[in-house]
Amino acid sequence: MKDLQNKTAVITGAGSGMGRAMALRLAKADMNVVLADVDDDAMAEVATSIIGDGGQAIAVHTDVADSTANTELFEAAMAAFDQINVVALNAGVTGSVGRTWTLSEQDWRWSLGILLDGVIHGIRTFVPHLVDHGDGHVVITASIAGHISSPFSGPYAVAKHGVVALAETLHHDLAAEGSSVGVTCLCPGFVNTNIVTAARDREGADVGSPTDERGDKWLEVSGRALETGLEPEVVGRQVHDAIIDNRFWLFTDEAWDDAIARRSEEIIGRRPPTVGRPTR
Ligand SMILES: NC(=O)c1ccc[n+]([C@@H]2O[C@H](COP(=O)([O-])OP(=O)(O)OC[C@H]3O[C@@H](n4cnc5c(N)ncnc54)[C@H](O)[C@@H]3O)[C@@H](O)[C@H]2O)c1
């Protein structure tokens, strides 16, 4: 999409972190923005900021894991702005952490419901409309965790590998259809957001908190790593540019390139996986 002005973007997980940054950047490009999140207060802050700067924004309470909520989001966006052009399927959580065999069925279902089903619902809900009018772009937030493997984060890794596959398949399906709708697969490295803090805040809840001491430690180390990462505003700008340039892959930095290359070499060499780590 070359021209974003007066067009409409729907962004899930828009209350915080990268979703918030995408919303502010796309509003700055004169897009109408539909914010979707489970955190109403956070969305209200983003909407107020956009409207205060003379932009157009609405906030729609949406749990992306719920297919009906996705339909209601689509209907609210259409009622407000008549057409949707950019859809950023970005909402996420760290998911339940711990050893694969200690995670309960509920842990797995909750994590995959948001991280994987959320993207599937988003594609099924919004893409038919984009294909119908042809002037659209889908941004799917995957992760480096969709390309490498690490211990103690099974649901997150499974979901993000699935999300990378979904983005690639969507790209192939649109090409086979001769559609001009673009796809960007956003693969952030470390970005300084609330995602790990939010998981810690859920401690004591039935799901989403560390399920064993190894998961707890993993979350602590991940939290410190994220604090060294990019600021979300940088990613907001990168996403804006990837939409304009119609770029499929968006890696936020190069720190994981060697780890991704090593994984490919291990597969081709039939060697067991080593833990993926950044080089920097
Ligand atoms: N921060 C990183 O280093 C990093 C790295 C790779 C990928 N990611 C991915 O980036 C995306 C955005 O995460 P972030 O880091 O900006 O985190 P964040 O916690 O700052 O923002 C995530 C937002 O998603 C919302 N959310 C959570 N569950 C939801 C649900 N069921 N329905 C709707 N909204 C929901 C939260 O309320 C929050 O506002 C996620 O998909 C995450 O997996 C993050």
Side-chain angles (χ1 to χ4, degrees):
M1 285 179 69
K2 291 285 170 218
D3 180 19
L4 302 183
Q5 202 175 21
N6 298 325
K7 295 182 181 166
T8 299
V10 175
I11 300 162
T12 69
S16 173
M18 284 179 264
R20 176 180 185 277
M22 287 178 215
L24 295 173
R25 182 62 190 89
L26 294 177
K28 203 172 149 197
D30 289 331
M31 292 197 84
N32 311 313
V33 179
V34 180
L35 311 163
D37 206 295
V38 285
D39 187 336
D40 294 329
D41 292 343
M43 276 197 296
E45 182 268 326
V46 182
T48 303
S49 166
I50 291 172
I51 292 163
D53 286 344
Q56 300 253 35
I58 61 165
V60 184
H61 183 93
T62 309
D63 177 355
V64 295
D66 176 354
S67 65
T68 307
N70 278 270
T71 306
E72 287 166 3
L73 172 63
F74 174 78
E75 286 165 356
M78 290 295 285
F81 299 116
D82 292 329
Q83 193 179 77
I84 299 160
N85 305 92
V86 170
V87 180
L89 304 173
N90 165 80
V93 289
T94 54
S96 298
V97 289
R99 286 163 284 184
T100 37
W101 61 90
T102 65
L103 296 168
S104 67
E105 183 179 348
Q106 194 190 11
D107 287 321
W108 281 95
R109 293 264 62 90
W110 174 75
S111 307
L112 295 177
I114 298 170
L115 291 163
L116 186 56
D117 295 352
V119 179
I120 296 170
H121 294 323
I123 290 173
R124 295 186 64 253
T125 304
F126 289 95
V127 172
H129 169 69
L130 301 191
V131 169
D132 277 351
H133 66 67
D135 186 22
H137 199 96
V138 184
V139 179
I140 294 180
T141 306
S143 173
I144 293 296
H147 300 278
I148 59 159
S149 56
S150 314
F152 314 127
S153 52
Y156 193 79
V158 168
K160 293 301 185 181
H161 276 72
V163 164
V164 170
L166 268 169
E168 290 183 323
T169 309
L170 176 62
H171 171 83
H172 295 319
D173 290 348
L174 289 165
E177 198 78 8
S179 171
S180 51
V181 173
V183 181
T184 291
C185 183
L186 166 62
C187 302
F190 294 140
V191 183
N192 187 15
T193 70
N194 294 324
I195 195 160
V196 169
T197 328
R200 286 216 194 88
D201 289 348
R202 264 194 301 271
E203 211 161 344
D206 288 345
V207 288
S209 52
T211 51
D212 62 20
E213 72 283 0
R214 286 188 182 272
D216 203 7
K217 182 81 188 153
W218 184 85
L219 209 52
E220 195 186 311
V221 172
S222 303
R224 282 203 300 271
L226 257 54
E227 284 169 15
T228 68
L230 288 177
E231 289 308 314
E233 291 68 30
V234 176
V235 182
R237 289 197 291 275
Q238 291 175 335
V239 168
H240 167 271
D241 295 352
I243 296 169
I244 298 279
D245 297 342
N246 194 15
R247 262 185 284 130
F248 181 81
W249 291 117
L250 173 49
F251 288 86
T252 54
D253 59 69
E254 294 170 359
W256 297 86
D257 287 8
D258 289 349
I260 294 169
R262 197 175 58 242
R263 178 175 188 243
S264 301
E265 286 158 14
E266 285 167 354
I267 293 170
I268 291 164
R270 310 298 193 258
R271 295 193 297 281
T274 50
V275 175
R277 297 191 198 286
T279 47
R280 66 163 111 155

